[in-house]
Structure formats: structure tokens, C-alpha cells
Amino acid sequence: MEDFEALLARIMALGAGRRLIAVAGPPAAGKSHLAARLVAALPDAALVPMDGFHLDNQILDASGLRAVKGAPETFDAAGFLALIGRIKAGGAVVYPEFDRDLDLAIAGRGQVRAETRLVVVEGNYLCSTRRLGAGWPIFGI
């Protein structure tokens, strides 16, 4: 996998300090597989999937959005952006993870350690510039 090795080399050359690497793309494009492979191959790396910011089914039902679960408006975009800000700032950061078997996000299930330098963030909308509601960006990190 020459391309994968080249990607690893580019990431390793990013320099000192905490760095975030975004893996974005449509559903079933292989984002989770690539992100997990990167974390396994990189020293001192953590994986933070945006799936932990799915809105709960009760909220989706109340707002009539359950049928489109997974669409941009069915995520807590503001919460996710706040998490990204905390990760960028450094230090230990706790975040929610999505449990597919239970079909719900579980608060505090994941953690980026204070000494972690590379954080691979994975999700469908990480590069989106779409705006919702009061005008905040979705995931244009």
C-alpha cells in the first residue's frame, strides 16, 4: 500500500504539538477502516468518531427527524465543534461514543489522553460547510 505509507509519512512530518487529522467521506466509503488503520500505525494516536454526536432517538422522534437519522441536522453539531475546540487546546478530553448495538450515544465512553499528539477524527460531515439553524457551521473544521 504505497499510498497508505505516503499518507503516514505526511502525518508523521506534521511537527510538534497536537495535530488533528480528519477522515471524511460518504457512508460506507471506508472512513472507519482507514481511521482505525491510521491509529494502529501511528505512535501516540487516538481515534475520535463524530458518531458520538448522533442526537438521541427521543429527540429525533419529537422533531420528526428519526427517518433521516444520520443526516447533518440529526447531529449535535455545536457539541461536536466544542469537542474539537477542546481537543485542539490540548490536555485530556472525554467524549461520547455511539453504540451501534444499543443505537445510542454513550457519554464519557472515549478519552484522548493529555499526552496524545495525533487525533484522527472520523465522520461523514467533517469537511461540510453547510449551515443550519442560527447559522453555525456543521463540521467545517
Side-chain angles (χ1 to χ4, degrees), residues 117-132:
R117 189 177 85 79
L118 298 168
V119 180
V120 178
V121 182
E122 176 267 317
N124 294 349
Y125 306 112
L126 298 178
C127 297
S128 175
T129 57
R130 180 176 173 187
R131 296 183 177 275
L132 291 176

Side-chain angles (χ1 to χ4, degrees), residues 32-82:
S32 297
H33 176 75
L34 175 60
R37 203 167 154 214
L38 286 170
V39 170
L42 293 165
D44 193 29
L47 174 60
V48 177
M50 69 168 261
D51 282 352
F53 288 85
H54 275 286
L55 293 177
D56 190 81
N57 289 337
Q58 288 183 346
I59 293 173
L60 296 176
D61 288 341
S63 59
L65 292 171
R66 180 91 172 264
V68 294
K69 186 173 185 171
E73 60 272 19
T74 66
F75 285 89
D76 174 12
F80 182 76
L81 289 172

